[in-house]
Amino acid sequence: MSRPLQSLPVHEKPGGSFASMLSPEEFDRFQARTQPVHKRAGTYLYLEGDPSDYFYFLYNGTVKIQKSTSDGKELTITLLGSGDLAGEYGNLNAVRHDFSAKVATDSLVGAIKKTQIEALIKESGTFSLKMMQWMGSNTLKEQSKFRDLLLYGKNGALASTLIRLSTTYGAGTENGTVLQLKLTNADLGEYIGLSREGVNRCLNEWKKAGVLSYENGRIVIHDMLYLRELCNCPLHNLCSSEICRL
C-alpha cells in the first residue's frame, strides 16, 4: 500500500533529472501513480532478463544501471540520483530488462507500472513530449560517454567521468570543485571498464601534477581545464545538465 503523498520527502527536482522536465501539475499526476518503497543498498530494483513491467522513480538515494560483460564483470552505464527514473525506456513494449538496476545507497523509490506511464502519455500530449525529450537526452548522454571512451582512451574517459560527477555532485569552493559523492577507485573503474589499480595510477599522476587532491575522502578538482582538454570537452557551448551527468 502506498504512503500518503504528503508524507513523502520534499522533492527538489535536481537539474537534468527526469522530474526537472515536468511541470508541478505533471509531477503531481505522475507521483500519484507511484507506490513508494524503501530499498536497501546492495539490493536490486531489477536484474538483467527480469520482466520489464515497472519504472522506478528515485525520491532519494542512488541507483547504478549496470550491464554484465562476457567475463562476468559489471560495467556501470549510469548513476541515477534523486529525481531520476529507472527502467527500460527504449521500448515501452519491451518484456525483459536489458540492464540491471542496483541500489547503491539506501533509497526511497516510487514504483510505477508501465501501463500507468502509457496512460499518462495518452492523457497528456505535453507529458508525452516530455517523455520523448527524456528518452532523447538519455540517448545523447550515453552516446557522449561511449564517444569519450572510444576516442580519448581510459584517461579521457576518466576525465570525462570526473567532469560529469562535478556537474551532478560538485560544490564550488575557493580550493576547487569538491565532489560530494564518495566513490572508491573501483567504483570509478566500473564506469570506464578500468581496473582499480589503473584508476589509482591515473589519479595519483593527476594528484602529483596538482590537477586534483583529496579532502576527507572526497576528490577536489583544482584544474578543470586540464580534464576538459583530455576528453576534448568544449570550453564554449558547454553541454546541458541533461547530457553532462552520469
Side-chain angles (χ1 to χ4, degrees):
M1 180 180 297
S2 64
R3 297 165 56 195
L5 294 182
Q6 59 268 29
S7 71
L8 294 175
V10 175
H11 178 60
E12 297 179 351
K13 298 186 177 181
S17 66
F18 169 75
S20 69
M21 298 183 177
L22 305 180
S23 68
E25 294 76 17
E26 289 167 339
F27 180 72
D28 286 344
R29 290 198 299 271
F30 173 83
Q31 179 183 242
R33 289 170 163 82
T34 66
Q35 299 288 327
V37 180
H38 288 280
K39 302 293 289 187
R40 298 289 298 270
T43 60
Y44 286 84
L45 299 180
Y46 51 82
L47 291 167
E48 197 172 331
D50 281 352
S52 178
D53 300 326
Y54 284 84
F55 283 78
Y56 297 88
F57 178 78
L58 272 72
Y59 286 101
N60 58 54
T62 52
V63 170
K64 294 179 179 180
I65 303 301
Q66 299 181 316
K67 184 72 175 179
S68 299
T69 62
S70 58
D71 57 359
K73 296 180 181 179
E74 294 289 345
L75 181 65
T76 299
I77 305 300
T78 191
L79 180 67
L80 303 179
S82 176
D84 285 323
L85 188 65
E88 301 297 328
Y89 47 80
N91 179 5
L92 289 176
N93 295 317
V95 295
R96 299 286 174 183
H97 283 291
D98 291 326
F99 301 91
S100 297
K102 184 177 182 179
V103 180
T105 59
D106 291 351
S107 303
L108 176 65
V109 302
I112 179 170
K113 287 185 176 181
K114 187 173 291 185
T115 52
Q116 292 288 344
I117 294 285
E118 293 171 340
L120 285 168
I121 289 173
K122 292 176 181 177
E123 290 173 10
S124 169
T126 303
F127 183 84
S128 177
L129 179 60
K130 300 291 179 62
M131 282 294 297
M132 291 174 62
Q133 292 172 336
W134 175 71
M135 293 176 189
S137 66
N138 274 279
T139 299
L140 289 174
K141 180 175 64 177
E142 302 310 327
Q143 287 175 345
S144 66
K145 288 180 185 178
F146 288 124
R147 174 204 63 198
D148 294 343
L149 179 59
L150 292 173
L151 296 183
Y152 308 115
K154 302 296 186 179
N155 283 8
L158 181 56
S160 171
T161 298
L162 293 178
I163 293 170
R164 293 174 189 277
L165 281 168
S166 72
T167 301
T168 315
Y169 300 101
T173 68
E174 293 182 356
N175 195 33
T177 301
V178 181
L179 303 187
Q180 301 299 304
L181 184 67
K182 285 187 176 181
L183 291 173
T184 67
N185 290 352
D187 290 331
L188 289 171
E190 287 181 1
Y191 292 102
I192 57 177
L194 189 62
S195 68
R196 177 181 61 81
E197 293 78 13
V199 172
N200 187 56
R201 283 194 298 271
C202 189
L203 292 181
N204 281 338
E205 289 177 4
W206 293 347
K207 182 179 178 181
K208 291 178 182 177
V211 176
L212 53 79
S213 64
Y214 293 89
E215 184 178 291
N216 299 322
R218 293 182 171 88
I219 294 175
V220 183
I221 301 174
H222 305 295
D223 193 344
M224 192 70 72
L225 178 60
Y226 179 88
L227 297 180
R228 291 188 184 280
E229 289 176 342
L230 280 178
C231 58
N232 201 30
C233 182
L235 303 182
H236 305 286
N237 299 321
L238 299 179
C239 297
S240 66
S241 59
E242 288 87 357
I243 306 302
C244 188
R245 67 197 308 262
L246 288 180

